[in-house]
Amino acid sequence: MDASVIVTYRCPMRCKMCNIWKSPTKTEEEFKPSLLEKLPKLAAVNVTGGEPFVREDLDEIIRILFTKTERVVISTSGWYEDRIFKLAEKFPKLGFRVSIEGLSQKNDELRGHPGGFDRGLRVLLGLKHMGVKDIGFGITVSNNNSPDMLWLYELAKGLNLQFATAAFHNSFYFKKDDNVITNKDEVCGNFEELINRLMRENHLKSWFRAIFNVGLINYIRGGRRMLPCEAGSENFFIDPYGEVLPCNGMEEKYWFQTMGSLHETDDFMTIWNSPRAQEVRAKVAKCPKTCWMIGSASPVMRKYIKKVVPWVIKNKLKSMAGVRICGDNCPHFDVGQDPEQGNLRVPVK
């Protein structure tokens, strides 16, 4: 399983697409690092927030997580440069993903802090200079920053850094219910251009990122997911209060339910195998939302890799022949998923 650990809802940024900062956790409410000792062995862990580096005990959290998995990646705004470099020195295998929403002016406008782009870029360059191997940055595409996505892709390519994409969503986690992409043709056109650039690369990982971005176009267009959501089975989240959640995409107007609290058991698997967890998985199977976020999409893309590979091969050959790939042609893979999943007209019972 993959896990995401939300260590805090505190954040110094004031992002327009996320209102976490308006409802911060209190320091005394956040779980103690020792709570994570209860986690099982995991494939990979993403540490996120809020801004993880506001926690004074983050190094202890990372230390414990490295006893559970060989791969830990931390998502950050890059605001706390010195803390980031210090943690990188302490944990050389730790991965870093910096959130950047555009070039300098656009990033600072969307993230609500002058100088945020400069700090993020210094963090990326500083980590690269230190010899950290697992470094990258990503953009959350909204209504007016998709052109910058292509420039950031070129920046990542030039620096030989990982580059991730997302489209903004609504959920309890983001504290938003009005994130809607209105200029769909422009945004999807820029995603399509990104897909074609990725397919022209000589890296297998880039080709799979291309089909992930096809899924983002499909999400923006309101289409049915290419693969089912299996959140709560293939991955899970821990929130700052120690609750075990299937994902970070739930909205209370549709449904919201935790699997249980780590504070109430000595063994994570007691929660994972509980009747309550089965109830949550049943709701995921019929979830009306069409989310396409890396945390829940990546695990099912790996699980159903044999379904995805033919698309990758076919479109790589097209790209090599100079044929442009249409981003609107999203495949749908039937793996026995509930037909009600992704149908916003069907309420969860």
Side-chain angles (χ1 to χ4, degrees), residues 195-203 207 312-325:
I195 290 163
N196 279 274
R197 294 187 192 185
L198 287 166
M199 291 304 295
R200 288 195 292 269
E201 289 191 31
N202 294 321
H203 303 290
W207 309 342
V312 172
I313 294 174
K314 175 184 175 181
N315 285 278
K316 179 58 182 176
L317 292 173
K318 286 175 64 176
S319 179
M320 292 173 65
V323 178
R324 188 168 178 83
I325 298 162

Side-chain angles (χ1 to χ4, degrees), residues 46-276:
N46 173 244
V47 177
T48 186
E51 171 51 65
F53 282 92
V54 302
R55 288 202 55 157
E56 299 292 339
D57 54 1
L58 185 59
D59 59 341
E60 180 63 9
I61 289 173
I62 300 302
R63 185 194 68 77
I64 292 172
L65 289 176
F66 267 122
T67 69
K68 305 298 180 178
T69 181
E70 293 186 359
R71 185 162 191 252
V72 181
V73 177
I74 188 163
S75 299
T76 175
S77 64
W79 190 254
Y80 296 103
E81 299 172 67
D82 293 341
R83 297 181 190 182
I84 292 170
F85 295 142
K86 185 176 180 180
L87 197 68
E89 288 179 353
K90 192 168 186 178
F91 299 98
K93 291 173 58 179
L94 182 61
F96 294 85
R97 294 295 180 272
V98 179
S99 297
I100 298 179
E101 309 310 334
L103 299 180
S104 180
Q105 184 176 348
K106 182 62 64 177
N107 177 82
D108 294 357
E109 172 195 334
L110 292 176
R111 296 191 71 81
H113 252 315
F117 178 85
D118 291 351
R119 292 197 187 201
L121 185 58
R122 281 199 298 267
V123 164
L124 292 168
L125 295 174
L127 292 171
K128 188 174 177 65
H129 179 72
M130 291 172 65
V132 178
K133 302 298 183 183
D134 192 356
I135 318 170
F137 62 96
I139 181 174
T140 298
V141 174
S142 52
N143 282 316
N144 59 357
N145 67 340
S146 65
D148 278 19
M149 169 179 66
L150 299 174
W151 292 113
L152 290 177
Y153 162 76
E154 295 298 337
L155 177 63
K157 188 177 176 182
L159 293 173
N160 195 27
L161 300 177
Q162 303 295 317
F163 181 63
T165 51
F168 67 5
H169 287 67
N170 297 310
S171 76
F172 82 94
Y173 174 70
F174 302 110
K175 315 292 184 187
K176 292 283 285 185
D177 60 7
D178 60 353
N179 280 335
V180 179
I181 290 178
T182 53
N183 56 334
K184 294 182 181 180
D185 289 344
E186 178 188 9
V187 171
C188 292
N190 285 316
F191 270 117
E192 182 176 290
E193 174 60 25
L194 177 64
I195 290 163
N196 279 274
R197 294 187 192 185
L198 287 166
M199 291 304 295
R200 288 195 292 269
E201 289 191 31
N202 294 321
H203 303 290
L204 182 64
K205 192 171 185 178
S206 296
W207 309 342
F208 282 92
R209 283 192 177 129
I211 190 172
F212 172 78
N213 282 284
V214 170
L216 283 177
I217 292 177
N218 181 61
Y219 162 73
I220 294 166
R221 297 289 193 194
R224 188 181 180 190
R225 286 174 58 116
M226 72 169 73
L227 286 166
C229 178
E230 297 185 2
S233 298
E234 297 298 315
N235 64 285
F236 65 88
F237 280 70
I238 304 295
D239 79 1
Y241 308 105
E243 294 289 331
V244 181
L245 308 175
C247 68
N248 65 340
M250 292 180 288
E251 288 184 78
E252 291 186 358
K253 68 179 180 181
Y254 297 117
W255 70 283
F256 180 93
Q257 186 173 341
T258 79
M259 293 180 162
S261 172
L262 277 177
H263 292 289
E264 297 174 358
T265 181
D266 291 328
D267 183 4
F268 172 86
M269 298 310 294
T270 301
I271 295 175
W272 194 248
N273 296 322
S274 68
R276 188 170 168 185

